[in-house]
């Protein structure tokens, strides 16, 4: 089925989703982490490359497509890495830990809320 729009955040929070293949974009990554879903990143341009690298090497919530070129063998390799029992457990645990950080940051007293207030003050003042 091909649709023009789908509720990505709701889909990623569904328990049957095992992995999210994405381009390493900021919003897709946060939605995946908030859903507790590990990622396979095929970065495209700009910040995607850095986001994907950090998600894999620092946060431990993703694997990157080798050479940024999607091939059958490359995707199978990524899927095997993501669904390998021990690695999958670690990736989901890392997602859940980051999820808590994001929820706190976006709360009423979190850093994201404070930054939004500062920005609003700067542009309206």
């Amino acid at each position: 089925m091909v649709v023009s729009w789908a509720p990505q955040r709701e889909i990623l929070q569904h328990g049957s989703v095992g992995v999210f293949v994405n381009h390493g974009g900021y919003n897709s990554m946060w939605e995946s982490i908030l859903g507790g879903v590990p990622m396979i990143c095929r970065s495209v341009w700009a910040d995607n490359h850095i986001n994907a690298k950090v998600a894999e090497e620092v946060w431990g919530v993703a694997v990157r497509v080798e050479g940024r070129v999607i091939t059958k063998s490359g995707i199978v390799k990524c899927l095997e890495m993501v669904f390998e029992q021990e690695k999958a457990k670690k990736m989901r645990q890392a997602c859940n830990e980051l999820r808590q950080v994001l929820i706190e940051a976006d709360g009423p007293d979190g850093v994201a809320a404070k930054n939004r207030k500062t920005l609003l003050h700067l542009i309206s003042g």
Side-chain angles (χ1 to χ4, degrees), residues 24-99:
Y26 187 78
N27 289 332
S28 293
M29 295 185 81
W30 289 146
E31 289 173 354
S32 189
I33 291 167
L34 287 170
V37 179
M39 295 168 269
I40 296 174
C41 296
R42 191 274 186 180
S43 56
V44 180
W45 66 294
D47 68 332
N48 299 168
H49 308 306
I50 295 168
N51 295 344
K53 184 177 178 81
V54 169
E56 180 179 40
E57 295 179 11
V58 178
W59 299 335
V61 297
V63 295
R64 289 178 288 166
V65 173
E66 191 173 320
R68 295 192 309 257
V69 176
I70 293 181
T71 62
K72 179 180 177 180
S73 63
I75 290 295
V76 167
K77 182 179 174 182
C78 288
L79 287 169
E80 288 172 347
M81 289 170 41
V82 170
F83 288 117
E84 186 272 314
Q85 194 167 13
E86 192 59 37
K87 184 161 181 115
K89 185 177 172 183
K90 288 180 182 177
M91 290 177 83
R92 286 198 178 270
Q93 182 178 0
C95 278
N96 288 328
E97 289 171 5
L98 274 176
R99 181 178 187 270

